[in-house]
Each structure stands twice: as C-alpha cells, then as structure tokens.
Amino acid sequence: MDGTAQGHGAPSRDGLAWRKSSYSLPEGSCVEIARPSRGRVLFRDSKVVGGPVIEAAAQAVELFADALVQGTL
C-alpha cells in the first residue's frame, strides 16, 4: 500500500499514520490501515474516519494476504 489519507505518512488526529492503497477511487473511497505496533494492524473505512476500527493480529493479516496472492482462498 502507498499514499495516505493524511498526507505522506503524517499522523492523523488519533496519532496514527493511516495509509490507503494507490488503487483507491479518485474520491478517496478505500479501506485504510494503520500499524500502531509490530503485532497489530488496524482497518477503517476512509469515508468514515471517526467510525469503527477493526483490529487484527499482524501475523493473521499476513497469512490472509499471502492466501489471496496464492489464490488459496
């Protein structure tokens, strides 16, 4: 992923550097991620910045992404 919702890696109001994919739509609709620690990954809807956040273990996210790339899901 590259680019960010708040500029190039600048922290947002919550102190996290939320990032979104360069493949997001021109109006910015995308899922954003933040990595507050090596072991955690956070996800949110870029259209609802103050909305709910989903937290996942970094290892689980890596396994999920690998399975997507490998086509095993």
Side-chain angles (χ1 to χ4, degrees):
M1 294 191 161
D2 60 11
T4 66
Q6 309 297 328
H8 298 286
S12 63
R13 284 184 227 156
D14 58 11
L16 298 171
W18 288 94
R19 299 173 54 97
K20 64 182 173 181
S21 172
S22 60
Y23 295 104
S24 64
L25 298 174
E27 72 273 0
S29 299
C30 190
V31 172
E32 296 177 319
I33 68 165
R35 293 188 72 135
S37 69
R38 293 182 64 76
R40 295 174 39 216
V41 180
L42 306 177
F43 298 89
R44 73 178 181 188
D45 183 344
S46 66
K47 297 180 304 299
V48 189
V49 174
V53 172
I54 297 172
E55 180 177 345
Q59 183 177 17
V61 173
E62 290 169 17
L63 290 171
F64 178 74
D66 288 344
L68 287 175
V69 169
Q70 296 171 10
T72 57
L73 280 180

